[in-house]
């Protein structure tokens, strides 16, 4: 399958027209200077040299990436997001930035990424439910966006929140829902600043479809998919570890780190292997799950000294 590189993708496919008009407003609203150098994790220079590891496995077909989804705001069935997410209004899209940073306030999401060119990243994507895909995302390294917001030295974690809009998201109205909306996720600052961590704005060379988390969603390829929070409307820098939605619902089953780890089973199923989509009942297409989803060389160092057997 031929995938175009970011340079070949017409800007209009990746970025709505307004991005271009908003670039000037950006400098005004954010008063942007060069990013802060005093951030944990990898420095700008190291990030520039970083090689994104190639994934040789075949891409998961687009119709599965955009048709088999977890986005509980639209329902719990894998087909619900594609069926109902067209109701979601994604423009304008305001984002609240708060907490331990210099640039806080409400912004248009376009302003937060203005002037940045999306890159294409082909990543393995491993859900905690033991299915997996290989997905050609396009997006911006999260570090580039966070640097703009100038987190201060008290910022040890960053928390993300999904839109709460029950009139457009039928799953948020469901009375039997066990989720205390809105959906929340978090990363440690060094995880957030790692060059593999992506804020995706597109997939398969097109703007992100609503069911995949339009207009922007996180992608953290070495963690179980639930960390990759969709349709983000708030970014908060904090000194305390956030309590993410799945940890809140089932703390014995889901933790904060959620690093892909074949050696630590989910209490109700094995994590040693995964079903690579597409698969049928006859051909389940099982394959071994890799530590850190195959990104151990790049990220294992983030967890030096941590007990990985408890790192779920
Ligand atoms: N983000 C929100 N807001 N709501 C969700 O239900 N599901 C998570 C994650 N992000 C979810 C979410 C889970 S469990 C997975 S596996 C991925 O989104 C699925 O992403 P995809 O549908 O693009 O494959």
């Amino acid at each position: 399958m031929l995938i175009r590189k970011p340079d070949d993708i017409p800007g209009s496919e990746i970025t709505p027209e307004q991005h271009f008009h908003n670039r000037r407003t950006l400098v005004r609203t954010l008063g942007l200077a060069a990013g802060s150098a005093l951030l944990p994790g990898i420095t700008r220079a190291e990030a520039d040299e970083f090689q994104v590891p190639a994934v040789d496995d075949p891409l998961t077909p687009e119709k599965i990436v955009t048709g088999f989804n977890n986005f509980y705001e639209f329902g719990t069935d894998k087909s619900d997001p594609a069926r109902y997410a067209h109701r979601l209004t994604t423009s304008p899209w305001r984002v609240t930035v708060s907490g331990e940073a210099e640039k806080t306030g409400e912004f248009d999401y376009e302003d937060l990424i203005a002037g940045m060119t999306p890159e294409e990243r082909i990543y393995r994507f491993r859900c905690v439910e033991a299915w997996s895909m290989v997905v050609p995302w396009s997006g911006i390294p999260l570090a580039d966006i966070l640097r703009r917001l100038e987190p201060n030295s008290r910022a040890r974690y960053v928390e993300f929140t999904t839109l709460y809009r029950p009139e457009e998201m039928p799953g948020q109205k469901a009375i039997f829902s066990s989720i205390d909306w809105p959906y929340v996720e978090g990363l440690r600052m060094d995880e957030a600043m790692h060059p593999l961590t992506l804020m995706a704005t597109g997939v398969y060379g097109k703007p992100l479809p609503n069911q995949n988390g339009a207009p922007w969603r996180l992608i953290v390829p070495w963690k179980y998919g639930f960390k990759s929070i969709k349709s983000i409307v708030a970014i908060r820098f904090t000194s305390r570890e956030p309590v993410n939605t799945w940890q809140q619902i089932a703390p014995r089953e889901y933790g904060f780190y959620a690093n892909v780890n074949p050696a630590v089973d989910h209490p109700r199923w094995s994590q040693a292997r995964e079903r690579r989509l597409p698969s049928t009942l006859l051909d389940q297409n099982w394959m071994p799950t890799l530590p850190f989803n195959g990104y151990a060389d790049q990220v294992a160092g983030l967890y030096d000294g941590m007990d990985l057997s408890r790192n779920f």
Side-chain angles (χ1 to χ4, degrees):
M1 176 105 29
L2 185 72
I3 285 292
R4 287 175 296 172
K5 300 225 182 63
D7 290 348
D8 305 325
I9 302 171
S12 57
E13 274 187 27
I14 308 175
T15 10
E17 196 96 2
Q18 305 101 288
H19 291 205
F20 301 103
H21 302 307
N22 278 338
R23 277 181 193 159
R24 240 168 278 128
T25 359
L26 166 82
V27 183
R28 234 182 17 240
T29 37
L30 286 172
L32 293 175
S36 148
L38 299 168
L39 287 172
I42 289 179
T43 65
R44 191 64 246 223
E46 283 168 332
D48 286 344
E49 277 171 25
F50 182 80
Q51 291 284 323
V52 178
V55 177
D56 296 327
D57 308 4
L59 296 180
T60 302
E62 184 177 2
K63 72 173 197 307
I64 290 174
V65 174
T66 62
F68 178 98
N69 301 100
N70 273 337
F71 199 169
Y72 278 25
E73 283 83 342
F74 294 100
T76 52
D77 201 276
K78 298 287 185 267
S79 59
D80 285 338
R83 186 171 307 143
Y84 300 119
H86 61 91
R87 295 181 191 166
L88 182 67
T89 319
T90 58
S91 177
W93 193 267
R94 303 285 287 169
V95 177
T96 306
V97 178
S98 66
E100 303 290 354
E102 294 307 313
K103 308 290 185 218
T104 55
E106 249 206 52
F107 304 99
D108 278 330
Y109 108 94
E110 285 98 339
D111 287 344
L112 297 177
I113 57 171
M116 297 176 173
T117 310
E119 298 171 20
E120 186 171 87
R121 298 275 181 97
I122 297 174
Y123 282 157
R124 281 179 290 273
F125 187 84
R126 168 58 158 90
C127 179
V128 75
E129 297 163 341
W131 52 262
S132 66
M133 301 190 188
V134 177
V135 184
W137 304 107
S138 38
I140 293 160
L142 180 65
D144 291 349
I145 300 168
L146 298 189
R147 259 192 216 98
R148 269 197 170 167
L149 305 173
E150 297 180 31
N152 64 37
S153 59
R154 287 181 300 276
R156 293 190 53 223
Y157 299 89
V158 54
E159 180 193 80
F160 303 90
T161 307
T162 294
L163 178 72
Y164 178 69
R165 196 183 285 157
E167 61 280 18
E168 291 182 359
M169 297 175 132
Q172 291 181 333
K173 279 196 296 208
I175 38 171
F176 51 83
S177 167
S178 54
I179 296 183
D180 186 13
W181 307 106
Y183 195 97
V184 170
E185 259 307 338
L187 294 173
R188 216 169 59 187
M189 276 306 278
D190 57 350
E191 299 176 321
M193 300 304 292
H194 193 280
L196 283 178
T197 306
L198 194 71
M199 190 68 107
T201 53
V203 70
Y204 263 99
K206 300 170 193 152
L208 216 53
N210 290 355
Q211 61 267 32
N212 291 91
W216 65 352
R217 60 90 59 86
L218 205 61
I219 294 294
V220 196
W222 70 93
K223 293 179 179 281
Y224 292 119
F226 68 83
K227 297 295 290 182
S228 293
I229 179 173
K230 296 177 168 182
S231 304
I232 294 165
V233 292
I235 299 175
R236 185 171 71 93
F237 296 95
T238 164
S239 57
R240 295 213 180 164
E241 188 177 290
V243 181
N244 47 310
T245 289
W246 282 104
Q247 186 186 9
Q248 195 196 337
I249 297 172
R252 286 192 50 262
E253 302 192 354
Y254 309 103
F256 175 77
Y257 284 96
N259 293 317
V260 174
N261 189 347
V264 177
D265 286 342
H266 186 280
R268 291 181 280 133
W269 59 84
S270 163
Q271 295 293 26
R273 52 185 205 143
E274 64 202 55
R275 207 162 41 90
R276 177 63 53 83
L277 301 182
S279 70
T280 64
L281 281 177
L282 291 175
D283 161 26
Q284 289 275 297
N285 213 10
W286 288 99
M287 56 177 65
T289 286
L290 303 171
F292 296 102
N293 202 21
Y295 300 98
D297 286 352
Q298 290 76 35
V299 302
L302 293 172
Y303 308 100
D304 280 349
M306 277 182 77
D307 177 1
L308 292 184
S309 68
R310 293 186 41 78
N311 182 17
F312 62 94

